[in-house]
Amino acid sequence: MGRMSKTLLAMIVDIVRWEEKILLKAAEIMGLNLSLVNLRSRFISLTEPPGNAKVYLIRAVSRTTAVTSALVIESFGAVTINSPRALQATGDKAAMIALLASRGVPVPRSYLALGKETALMAAEALGFPVVLKPVSGGWGMLSAKAGSPEELEQLLELKEAIPSPTSRLHVIQEYIEAGGSDYRVLVVGGEAVAAMKRSAVRGWKANVSRGALVEPISPRGEIEELAVRASEALGAEVAGVDIIDGDGDMRVLEVNGVPEFRGLREATGVPVERYILSYARENARR
Amino acid sequence: MKAVCPVCKLEVALPDDVVEGEVIEHDCGVVLEVKVSNGKVELKALEGILEDWGE
């Protein structure tokens, strides 16, 4: 077919991590034409279609880059996975919690507060301990548990000293005791394809990037139902859903719109990358 | 395949299937990014990625 052949799939990145490499390798094995578009080394047009792919997997580490590139690509009629709206919703913890709650998905009680004094008032309304979170950011960074007003005040002062437009915007959330464990479920196209239990080695944050111990679990039952509902509530076709079990009371902590999945892949052996590519291929055929 | 770390100047072994933009964590503690220029592979300290999604 030469120059006339249509590239079906493309992947937008800003760096290439383990996940993007395994997606490239899997595409090769599956006979898919997946082109890599690295925005750090290649510019894309804003005035004509940026490429000839029908479906673009958005895998940028930067949330801003992910949302902006998806908006640009979608403007010219191509499909992005995830959609710009899903990326926006999953990239902002405050908006994400509100969207989930408004759609009936159980989440921890949470408040949005601007500035230290207001954040302290929100924490008093919740009752200590509370969790302080930034509106954006992953890997558990800048999230902290405060057991008292004094602790929270210190944390707020540190966070607000960071030169960032969002450093004074705080999510204050009730702390749910779950023994330092939570669940990560990967949802692809409305199906929970793999799940694991993550247990913090120390402290309460169970992020894989923090060395959490992981064990595979069945992505079925209540966990599946909750993960699928959460991803659908945000319109996220590929989503990493974090769920906490507070003594039988399951709630969604976060939905990740560009999920890393190395830990999940290694814990479960489920070929997550193939599910993602198969789903993208089905979308390209529509 | 090998390249030189721009920070510690030691040689860094690269995977055979190295890709432009690939991130490599070097023993010296620096996170490096693979750059390909005129068919030549070089390493550069990773800069400018300030947000993340995580696992």
Side-chain angles (χ1 to χ4, degrees), chain A residues 16 21 25 40 63 138 256, chain B residues 17 21 33 51-54:
Chain A
V16 178
K21 276 197 86 171
K25 282 181 193 168
R40 284 164 68 86
R63 289 162 197 257
N256 191 314
Chain B
D17 59 352
E33 180 186 7
E51 306 157 86
D52 60 86
W53 300 85

Side-chain angles (χ1 to χ4, degrees), chain A residues 249-267:
Chain A
D249 180 16
M250 289 214 186
R251 292 189 237 179
V252 173
L253 286 178
E254 281 197 29
V255 179
N256 191 314
V258 183
E260 292 178 350
F261 52 81
R262 183 175 187 170
L264 185 68
R265 175 75 168 82
E266 290 176 353

Side-chain angles (χ1 to χ4, degrees), chain A residues 15-16 21 25 36 38 40-41 60-64 87 90 138-139 141 196 198 208 256-258 260-264, chain B residues 14-24 31-36 44-55:
Chain A
I15 55 172
V16 178
K21 276 197 86 171
K25 282 181 193 168
L36 184 68
N38 186 342
R40 284 164 68 86
S41 56
V61 172
S62 154
R63 289 162 197 257
T64 311
L87 292 166
T90 55
W139 300 326
M141 284 193 294
M196 65 180 171
R198 308 182 295 192
V208 170
N256 191 314
V258 183
E260 292 178 350
F261 52 81
R262 183 175 187 170
L264 185 68
Chain B
L14 302 175
D16 293 338
D17 59 352
V18 71
V19 175
E20 161 93 25
E22 187 168 344
V23 175
I24 292 175
V31 179
L32 301 166
E33 180 186 7
V34 174
K35 290 281 181 188
V36 182
K44 188 182 159 196
L46 179 65
E47 293 172 349
I49 302 287
L50 297 174
E51 306 157 86
D52 60 86
W53 300 85
E55 183 176 32

